[in-house]
Amino acid sequence: MQYAVAQDTRVVVVRGGEVFSNGIHLNVIESARHPEMEAWMNINAINGVCKEIIGCTGQLVVASMGGNAGAGGVMMALGADRVLVREGRVLNPHYRTMGLFGSEYWTYVLPRRVGAEVAQSLTGEALPLGAASAVSLGLADRLLKGSREEFEQEVLEYAERLAGRDDYEELVRVKRERREEDERRKPLEAYRIEELAEMSRDMFDDRHGFAEARRAFVGKAKAVATPAHLASHRGASGL
């Protein structure tokens, strides 16, 4: 991302593979000698990517969600200026089912797009969201149809049109000013610190059953979500 924004380009497109992104890598974490420490390094690493996307004020950023996405993968996309999603994809914009509060600056990017009330509902209820519903809520900007190849081509054409707009410089100026205003109101670093304070309790103290949920997910077993795990964890939720 740092390399991309350093180039002489107007639009940066962020895209994934068959799955756009599910955030932290649970398989890598579970197989590590010290899973808790690996989880901590994983979340800090993806936070670094998210910060680069949010902080890119010299270009416009387009998130190309051609595959399903969950938890931090959804939040990473929301840091972009435009979010395009392929018809039929499923998004899980929450962390609660994995026993995590969540990070990736979600407390900034999610309410910024859908408002505080909807953000609370999405993360608290922890329900899947179809692509069309994501657009209607404002979570994504545009729904594109077609095969994976057709979708990717249409995204590139969209990015080219965006780069060639007569008001491109104005769009970038407004983006930069808005980011500066948000930073004065509450720095990105403050969101990061607050989220990681919660995540440290989930990862190291295992207060909401992250270890059990992670093992179940990696082993393709059905996660056991006890009332004790979930009742006290309303309001945020993961992968």
Side-chain angles (χ1 to χ4, degrees), residues 68-89:
N68 297 341
V74 176
M75 306 311 174
M76 179 173 66
L78 300 189
D81 303 298
R82 304 285 192 278
V83 178
L84 311 183
V85 61
R86 183 181 166 210
E87 184 181 43
R89 300 313 93 186

Side-chain angles (χ1 to χ4, degrees), residues 126-176:
L127 297 174
L129 192 65
S133 297
V135 173
S136 67
L137 285 176
L139 195 77
D141 297 294
R142 184 170 297 188
L143 181 72
L144 302 180
K145 301 180 180 181
S147 66
R148 175 65 186 274
E149 293 74 18
E150 291 169 335
F151 169 81
E152 295 293 358
Q153 182 59 38
E154 195 164 349
V155 169
L156 291 178
E157 292 171 0
Y158 176 91
E160 289 173 357
R161 291 195 299 271
L162 191 59
R165 284 178 53 157
D166 293 337
D167 62 345
Y168 172 84
E169 297 297 340
E170 176 67 10
L171 292 175
V172 173
R173 184 189 64 80
V174 171
K175 171 186 178 176
R176 184 182 299 113

Side-chain angles (χ1 to χ4, degrees), residues 15-75:
R15 65 183 185 184
E18 289 302 313
V19 174
F20 176 77
S21 174
N22 279 325
I24 59 176
H25 203 311
L26 296 179
N27 289 42
V28 170
I29 292 168
E30 182 63 18
S31 63
R33 183 176 181 182
H34 301 290
E36 297 80 11
M37 184 56 67
E38 178 61 37
W40 186 249
M41 291 189 293
N42 231 259
I43 194 62
N44 276 279
I46 194 172
N47 276 355
V49 178
C50 294
K51 183 179 180 180
E52 293 295 330
I53 293 173
I54 297 169
C56 174
T57 56
Q59 293 116 322
L60 297 179
V61 182
V62 174
S64 171
M65 304 186 77
N68 297 341
V74 176
M75 306 311 174

